[in-house]
Amino acid sequence: MNARAFDLTQLRTFIAIHDAGSISAAAEQIFLSQSSVSEQLKKLEARAGQPLLVRSRKGMRPTPAGTRLMTYARQIAALSEAAFEDLQGVLLDGELRIAITDYYRPQDVGRVLKRFTSLYPRLRLHVSAMQSSQIERTALTGEHFDVGLALRLLNEEVSASDEVTGERTSATLVRRERLVWAMSATSSEPLDMPLPLITLPRPCALQTLVVNVLERHKIPYRVSHSAAGVAGMQLALGAGLGISCLNESALTPDLVVCPTSLGLPPLPRAEFHLLPGHADETDLIRHARNALLRLFA
């Protein structure tokens, strides 16, 4: 092996451990023994010259070096599979409509989609940023898009009448993130009561959750600003107009997590799901969904 190259099998094992959260769970998913999975990780870390994953109370977590390598590992694995599909005659040639919640990796989603188009240059994308509730509702009909990526909440405190989806359909977990209370990094003055809250219009599930959590814990608040989308919320937060709830990947450099001294209630975790396809969907959409899944994680 080239001394300056990584082994593809080891990179795929690294991805599996990262996504599964443990060596034992990864071993089940990729049909290897735990000892084989551990050995491949050790060899990869030896090749990298530093630890890539460490154990924590919540499972295996990437080190800073592991986080950087994960980006390359996913791209390398995706490119390898795209090359194989090409040689097998699986050409993605046509139009694809994608609906994505604007909470999903706002700083990176453009690069992800650009990477996708570079892998499949014949595919013409039509991308729409939509609320998860709308994505979930229209996914059943396929009227507005072919592939949908929506946000769902774990252990959500949203009442049954405010559920995003009503009946949940089976979907593929792409990414899981913490939800945090966010504020401007330059705020120096203490926040007044009632808390100034930046919101998005209903039926945004995340904003419904925020209001319900604050009211349940009897924390007074006032709506100081209503933004049209996540980008507008980020700008309002950065300007110091109030606080709100965001997923970690939506934090910009000028935002910070609110200090514990504010006494804000804990928040659940968020999950991003790639919605299932229809039984009668075309091979183009099915193959494109699988290819996007590899890049979205």
mmCIF file of all heavy atoms in Angstrom, residues 97 99 130 134-147 278:
data_model
loop_
_atom_site.group_PDB
_atom_site.id
_atom_site.type_symbol
_atom_site.label_atom_id
_atom_site.label_comp_id
_atom_site.label_asym_id
_atom_site.label_seq_id
_atom_site.Cartn_x
_atom_site.Cartn_y
_atom_site.Cartn_z
ATOM 1 N N ARG A 97 -35.755 16.259 -8.043
ATOM 2 C CA ARG A 97 -36.262 17.313 -7.161
ATOM 3 C C ARG A 97 -35.988 16.905 -5.710
ATOM 4 O O ARG A 97 -36.409 15.837 -5.279
ATOM 5 C CB ARG A 97 -37.754 17.513 -7.379
ATOM 6 C CG ARG A 97 -38.149 17.867 -8.812
ATOM 7 C CD ARG A 97 -39.651 17.730 -9.000
ATOM 8 N NE ARG A 97 -40.101 16.377 -8.703
ATOM 9 C CZ ARG A 97 -41.381 16.029 -8.511
ATOM 10 N NH1 ARG A 97 -42.332 16.963 -8.606
ATOM 11 N NH2 ARG A 97 -41.721 14.782 -8.241
ATOM 12 N N ALA A 99 -36.111 18.107 -1.597
ATOM 13 C CA ALA A 99 -36.610 19.020 -0.567
ATOM 14 C C ALA A 99 -35.812 18.776 0.710
ATOM 15 O O ALA A 99 -35.705 17.639 1.171
ATOM 16 C CB ALA A 99 -38.092 18.789 -0.314
ATOM 17 N N MET A 130 -37.502 23.634 2.644
ATOM 18 C CA MET A 130 -38.889 23.601 3.096
ATOM 19 C C MET A 130 -38.942 23.248 4.578
ATOM 20 O O MET A 130 -37.996 22.680 5.121
ATOM 21 C CB MET A 130 -39.690 22.559 2.297
ATOM 22 C CG MET A 130 -39.733 22.804 0.803
ATOM 23 S SD MET A 130 -40.359 21.383 -0.150
ATOM 24 C CE MET A 130 -41.998 21.209 0.535
ATOM 25 N N GLN A 134 -43.976 20.323 6.093
ATOM 26 C CA GLN A 134 -44.429 20.299 4.703
ATOM 27 C C GLN A 134 -43.789 19.150 3.939
ATOM 28 O O GLN A 134 -44.434 18.492 3.121
ATOM 29 C CB GLN A 134 -44.109 21.631 4.026
ATOM 30 C CG GLN A 134 -44.635 21.737 2.602
ATOM 31 C CD GLN A 134 -44.294 23.058 1.951
ATOM 32 O OE1 GLN A 134 -43.628 23.904 2.553
ATOM 33 N NE2 GLN A 134 -44.733 23.247 0.716
ATOM 34 N N ILE A 135 -42.504 18.902 4.213
ATOM 35 C CA ILE A 135 -41.820 17.792 3.552
ATOM 36 C C ILE A 135 -42.490 16.481 3.904
ATOM 37 O O ILE A 135 -42.756 15.631 3.046
ATOM 38 C CB ILE A 135 -40.327 17.763 3.944
ATOM 39 C CG1 ILE A 135 -39.611 19.012 3.424
ATOM 40 C CG2 ILE A 135 -39.646 16.503 3.395
ATOM 41 C CD1 ILE A 135 -38.169 19.134 3.884
ATOM 42 N N GLU A 136 -42.788 16.300 5.189
ATOM 43 C CA GLU A 136 -43.410 15.051 5.646
ATOM 44 C C GLU A 136 -44.799 14.877 5.033
ATOM 45 O O GLU A 136 -45.170 13.777 4.620
ATOM 46 C CB GLU A 136 -43.509 15.050 7.174
ATOM 47 C CG GLU A 136 -42.170 15.072 7.906
ATOM 48 C CD GLU A 136 -41.692 13.689 8.285
ATOM 49 O OE1 GLU A 136 -42.246 12.707 7.755
ATOM 50 O OE2 GLU A 136 -40.767 13.600 9.103
ATOM 51 N N ARG A 137 -45.561 15.954 4.983
ATOM 52 C CA ARG A 137 -46.934 15.846 4.470
ATOM 53 C C ARG A 137 -46.957 15.497 2.989
ATOM 54 O O ARG A 137 -47.733 14.655 2.543
ATOM 55 C CB ARG A 137 -47.694 17.156 4.706
ATOM 56 C CG ARG A 137 -48.195 17.347 6.126
ATOM 57 C CD ARG A 137 -49.264 18.446 6.176
ATOM 58 N NE ARG A 137 -48.745 19.711 5.688
ATOM 59 C CZ ARG A 137 -48.184 20.627 6.462
ATOM 60 N NH1 ARG A 137 -48.063 20.403 7.758
ATOM 61 N NH2 ARG A 137 -47.752 21.766 5.951
ATOM 62 N N THR A 138 -46.114 16.165 2.210
ATOM 63 C CA THR A 138 -46.154 15.955 0.762
ATOM 64 C C THR A 138 -45.356 14.734 0.319
ATOM 65 O O THR A 138 -45.439 14.337 -0.846
ATOM 66 C CB THR A 138 -45.626 17.196 0.021
ATOM 67 O OG1 THR A 138 -44.309 17.497 0.486
ATOM 68 C CG2 THR A 138 -46.522 18.393 0.268
ATOM 69 N N ALA A 139 -44.580 14.138 1.244
ATOM 70 C CA ALA A 139 -43.811 12.950 0.873
ATOM 71 C C ALA A 139 -44.718 11.802 0.445
ATOM 72 O O ALA A 139 -44.337 10.962 -0.373
ATOM 73 C CB ALA A 139 -42.933 12.504 2.045
ATOM 74 N N LEU A 140 -45.922 11.764 0.995
ATOM 75 C CA LEU A 140 -46.838 10.677 0.677
ATOM 76 C C LEU A 140 -47.338 10.743 -0.759
ATOM 77 O O LEU A 140 -47.661 9.728 -1.362
ATOM 78 C CB LEU A 140 -48.035 10.693 1.641
ATOM 79 C CG LEU A 140 -47.689 10.513 3.122
ATOM 80 C CD1 LEU A 140 -48.947 10.644 3.980
ATOM 81 C CD2 LEU A 140 -47.032 9.159 3.348
ATOM 82 N N THR A 141 -47.387 11.937 -1.314
ATOM 83 C CA THR A 141 -47.908 12.092 -2.667
ATOM 84 C C THR A 141 -46.809 12.220 -3.709
ATOM 85 O O THR A 141 -47.034 11.915 -4.886
ATOM 86 C CB THR A 141 -48.806 13.346 -2.754
ATOM 87 O OG1 THR A 141 -48.004 14.506 -2.499
ATOM 88 C CG2 THR A 141 -49.920 13.275 -1.710
ATOM 89 N N GLY A 142 -45.605 12.686 -3.289
ATOM 90 C CA GLY A 142 -44.531 12.906 -4.249
ATOM 91 C C GLY A 142 -44.836 14.038 -5.202
ATOM 92 O O GLY A 142 -44.243 14.153 -6.269
ATOM 93 N N GLU A 143 -45.752 14.926 -4.793
ATOM 94 C CA GLU A 143 -46.228 15.982 -5.686
ATOM 95 C C GLU A 143 -45.163 17.043 -5.959
ATOM 96 O O GLU A 143 -45.059 17.551 -7.072
ATOM 97 C CB GLU A 143 -47.460 16.637 -5.060
ATOM 98 C CG GLU A 143 -48.075 17.739 -5.894
ATOM 99 C CD GLU A 143 -49.275 18.358 -5.209
ATOM 100 O OE1 GLU A 143 -49.681 17.858 -4.137
ATOM 101 O OE2 GLU A 143 -49.800 19.345 -5.747
ATOM 102 N N HIS A 144 -44.373 17.390 -4.922
ATOM 103 C CA HIS A 144 -43.450 18.520 -5.056
ATOM 104 C C HIS A 144 -41.984 18.120 -5.147
ATOM 105 O O HIS A 144 -41.154 18.945 -5.505
ATOM 106 C CB HIS A 144 -43.633 19.480 -3.881
ATOM 107 C CG HIS A 144 -45.020 20.032 -3.766
ATOM 108 N ND1 HIS A 144 -45.595 20.812 -4.744
ATOM 109 C CD2 HIS A 144 -45.953 19.887 -2.795
ATOM 110 C CE1 HIS A 144 -46.820 21.142 -4.368
ATOM 111 N NE2 HIS A 144 -47.065 20.596 -3.204
ATOM 112 N N PHE A 145 -41.631 16.896 -4.791
ATOM 113 C CA PHE A 145 -40.223 16.503 -4.810
ATOM 114 C C PHE A 145 -40.101 14.988 -4.901
ATOM 115 O O PHE A 145 -41.059 14.243 -4.673
ATOM 116 C CB PHE A 145 -39.497 17.023 -3.563
ATOM 117 C CG PHE A 145 -40.075 16.524 -2.267
ATOM 118 C CD1 PHE A 145 -39.672 15.310 -1.719
ATOM 119 C CD2 PHE A 145 -41.010 17.267 -1.584
ATOM 120 C CE1 PHE A 145 -40.198 14.848 -0.534
ATOM 121 C CE2 PHE A 145 -41.548 16.816 -0.381
ATOM 122 C CZ PHE A 145 -41.138 15.606 0.135
ATOM 123 N N ASP A 146 -38.884 14.549 -5.242
ATOM 124 C CA ASP A 146 -38.598 13.122 -5.365
ATOM 125 C C ASP A 146 -37.913 12.565 -4.124
ATOM 126 O O ASP A 146 -38.134 11.414 -3.740
ATOM 127 C CB ASP A 146 -37.696 12.876 -6.583
ATOM 128 C CG ASP A 146 -38.303 13.408 -7.863
ATOM 129 O OD1 ASP A 146 -39.472 13.085 -8.138
ATOM 130 O OD2 ASP A 146 -37.614 14.153 -8.582
ATOM 131 N N VAL A 147 -37.031 13.364 -3.504
ATOM 132 C CA VAL A 147 -36.276 12.942 -2.330
ATOM 133 C C VAL A 147 -36.424 14.017 -1.265
ATOM 134 O O VAL A 147 -36.230 15.208 -1.544
ATOM 135 C CB VAL A 147 -34.778 12.734 -2.663
ATOM 136 C CG1 VAL A 147 -34.003 12.347 -1.410
ATOM 137 C CG2 VAL A 147 -34.619 11.676 -3.745
ATOM 138 N N HIS A 278 -41.401 5.812 -2.895
ATOM 139 C CA HIS A 278 -42.647 5.147 -3.258
ATOM 140 C C HIS A 278 -42.337 3.832 -3.964
ATOM 141 O O HIS A 278 -41.286 3.676 -4.591
ATOM 142 C CB HIS A 278 -43.486 6.043 -4.173
ATOM 143 C CG HIS A 278 -43.864 7.354 -3.543
ATOM 144 N ND1 HIS A 278 -44.920 7.493 -2.677
ATOM 145 C CD2 HIS A 278 -43.299 8.581 -3.647
ATOM 146 C CE1 HIS A 278 -45.004 8.743 -2.272
ATOM 147 N NE2 HIS A 278 -44.021 9.432 -2.844
#
